Amino acid sequence: MNTECIFCKIIAGEIPSQVVHRDDNYIAFFDIEPKAALHLLICPIAHTNDFQQTPPEIIAGATSVIQNLAKKLNIENNYTLQINNGADSGQIVFHLHIHLLSSDKNGNKKAKALTI
Ligand code: 5GP
Ligand code: ZN
């Protein structure tokens, strides 16, 4: 855990968030300022600053988490993934996260129902 990191604090439960998935290695929660009808953030539990510094296997492991979430949310045909890497790209939180965005309002409702 990086004690300065807001997402590490979310993972530790020190800052509240709406978590829709959690396992030993990944967490997914609602973005606090959604940029789409459904906007989730998928993060590794272990802190890494950004995509550029993240071991490939951590990125690879996020794939099935996202695919399974998309299935559960019924948005398999309607989502966009985004990773901002570095301050100049617009990255503001320096704990690796993958944005999952969908225009599907039903996906949003289902995600709320998944909140744990
Ligand atoms: P970035 O620009 O770093 O790729 O995206 C960071 C994202 O984290 C933004 O979309 C922002 O709304 C979200 N965010 C920032 N602080 C918090 C927070 O405390 N809780 C949650 N759930 N999302 C946050
Ligand atoms: Zn962190």
Side-chain angles (χ1 to χ4, degrees), residues 67-82:
Q67 290 169 343
N68 289 336
L69 266 176
K71 262 186 215 157
K72 280 188 190 159
L73 302 175
N74 218 13
I75 56 162
E76 285 167 280
N77 296 315
N78 180 10
Y79 69 89
T80 302
L81 302 177
Q82 182 175 335

Side-chain angles (χ1 to χ4, degrees), residues 6-7 10 15-18 29-35 39 41 82-86 89-95 97-99:
I6 195 161
F7 286 179
I10 285 176
I15 293 178
S17 68
Q18 287 185 287
F29 54 88
F30 280 90
D31 194 292
I32 203 167
E33 283 180 33
K35 283 87 182 172
H39 187 173
L41 301 172
Q82 182 175 335
I83 299 173
N84 296 322
N85 185 82
S89 79
Q91 186 179 2
I92 54 167
V93 176
F94 284 81
H95 179 128
H97 52 281
I98 302 169
H99 296 261

